[in-house]
Amino acid sequence: LKHSETVSEAEQEVKEYLFLAKKVHYNYNALEERRVQREENEGAASDTQFTEYSQEPTSEELDQIDIPNLESIHQPDHYKARVERAEAKIALEKERRRVTRDDLATAYDKYVRAKEILQAKESQIQEIEEKSEAMKGDLKLRKRRWMEFRAAMSVISNLKFDETLNIKGSSGQIKFDHVNGTLDLIVQKDSNIENSQQKDVKALSGGERSFTTISLLLAIGEMLETPFRVMDEFDVFLDPVTRKLIIDTLIAVGEGMPHRQFIFITPQDVSNVESSPTLKILKMKPPERRQVAGGHTQQTLEFSQQ
């Protein structure tokens, strides 16, 4: 009887250990299935899957687990080594992910700093965009003002050109082509005769071309803010009457602009021009040429002031 009780207790103990073994095996299989599904779903395991694998197995599920052949069971050292390898993998994964409370706090601090940097960059971008829009508006305003200023320069140059030509009884017009960057002159020899209009300056005589050139220079010079203005041989091919008109005009223009200095160079006689506090006449003496040993030489030119 005592032997029978001992056997019964041993069988009961075997059943309990077998139940625990099946339960462990069931949980292991459930964890393996979950791992496979997580890898297939790229790590996105749902809460439903976790609950399903965490519940207690039923008796039918335990009965379906086959008892392994004892010969196929490895020694305890084998499973111990597997457990150690698994623990090492877990520790390595934790180290890689650094999933600790301190790491979570550090990650939050990094998030806060990154958010502040992002907001600062967005503020800078907004400021740059506002400045860019302001600069575009300023550029449009400058272009509009430049076009207005250019149109005013064209009108004033035309008026001055025609005014200078009127001294000789002529008239004219400057046609500006701002797109191609060119200009054309239209000269009417007699302001009262429309048929005397010439669109080709080459058709004018030498004196008329010289007078037209001076008129153009005076017209354009009205818009130039240069401290010095020089004209060399401006009275070439001019008849005496026209030459006197041009000289008187140049002197009047120069006296009307005391903040600028005008220099007029001419090889012709200027004895009929009188000097004044604002007008100085410098006349060069004719050079003396003489034959010396070694070739021709020329003396230094001296100026005399009238």
Side-chain angles (χ1 to χ4, degrees), residues 10 146 195 200 218 222 247 253 262:
W146 159 245
N195 294 333
D200 187 3
L218 290 175
E222 287 289 322
I247 291 177
V253 171
F262 291 79

Side-chain angles (χ1 to χ4, degrees), residues 77-298:
D77 294 339
H78 170 75
Y79 296 102
K80 183 178 180 181
R82 291 185 61 182
V83 170
E84 291 176 352
R85 288 196 297 271
E87 290 177 349
K89 288 183 179 180
I90 294 173
L92 182 62
E93 185 67 17
K94 285 184 177 181
E95 179 66 20
R96 186 180 70 83
R97 298 188 181 185
R98 296 183 181 275
V99 183
T100 62
R101 291 184 178 179
D102 295 338
D103 292 333
L104 291 175
T106 303
Y108 180 75
D109 291 339
K110 290 182 178 179
Y111 161 74
V112 173
R113 289 196 298 270
K115 186 177 181 180
E116 291 176 352
I117 294 174
L118 175 62
Q119 292 176 348
K121 296 297 183 182
E122 290 177 345
S123 178
Q124 291 179 0
I125 292 174
Q126 183 178 0
E127 183 179 357
I128 292 173
E129 290 178 348
E130 291 176 355
K131 289 184 177 180
S132 176
E133 292 298 324
M135 292 178 68
K136 289 180 180 178
D138 184 64
L139 179 61
K140 291 181 180 179
L141 179 61
R142 285 173 177 265
K143 287 183 177 180
R144 181 173 60 81
R145 288 181 176 177
W146 159 245
M147 294 178 68
E148 293 175 354
F149 177 68
R150 187 176 62 181
M153 290 178 63
S154 302
V155 173
I156 295 175
S157 298
N158 258 312
L159 292 175
K160 186 62 180 179
F161 180 69
D162 185 66
E163 178 184 346
T164 306
L165 289 177
N166 287 338
I167 296 175
K168 197 181 176 182
S170 303
S171 61
Q173 180 183 2
I174 305 175
K175 296 185 67 176
F176 291 92
D177 186 351
H178 299 298
V179 176
N180 298 318
T182 60
L183 63 84
D184 294 320
L185 300 178
I186 300 176
V187 179
Q188 187 170 329
K189 296 180 181 182
D190 191 336
S191 57
N192 297 321
I193 302 176
E194 187 175 354
N195 294 333
S196 64
Q197 187 179 95
Q198 293 288 342
K199 295 184 178 180
D200 187 3
V201 182
K202 295 180 181 180
L204 300 175
S205 64
E208 291 171 341
R209 282 200 301 270
S210 297
F211 188 79
T212 303
T213 302
I214 293 174
S215 301
L216 177 63
L217 292 176
L218 290 175
I220 297 177
E222 287 289 322
M223 310 306 299
L224 300 178
E225 293 295 335
T226 55
F228 299 96
R229 291 176 62 180
V230 182
M231 288 188 182
D232 185 16
E233 298 186 358
F234 60 91
D235 52 355
V236 178
F237 305 118
L238 292 178
D239 59 87
V241 177
T242 305
R243 179 172 177 270
K244 185 178 184 306
L245 291 175
I246 286 297
I247 291 177
D248 292 341
T249 302
L250 293 177
I251 293 174
V253 171
E255 291 178 345
M257 300 180 181
H259 58 288
R260 300 180 188 174
Q261 184 174 359
F262 291 79
I263 301 174
F264 306 118
I265 303 174
T266 175
Q268 301 188 38
D269 182 37
V270 290
S271 58
N272 59 338
V273 180
E274 297 181 358
S275 60
S276 67
T278 58
L279 174 61
K280 292 183 179 181
I281 301 174
L282 300 177
K283 186 176 181 181
M284 293 190 303
K285 293 181 179 180
E288 296 181 4
R289 302 181 183 273
R290 61 183 177 179
Q291 182 73 25
V292 297
H296 296 282
T297 60
Q298 180 172 314

Side-chain angles (χ1 to χ4, degrees), residues 19-53:
F19 174 78
L20 291 175
K22 287 184 176 182
K23 187 175 180 181
V24 170
H25 187 72
Y26 173 83
N27 290 331
Y28 173 78
N29 290 338
L31 289 173
E32 283 295 317
E33 291 179 5
R34 182 185 174 197
R35 182 183 63 80
V36 172
Q37 291 181 5
R38 185 172 64 247
E39 291 178 354
E40 291 178 353
N41 297 330
E42 296 180 353
S46 64
D47 295 335
T48 305
Q49 292 173 327
F50 181 79
T51 305
E52 180 182 352
Y53 296 139

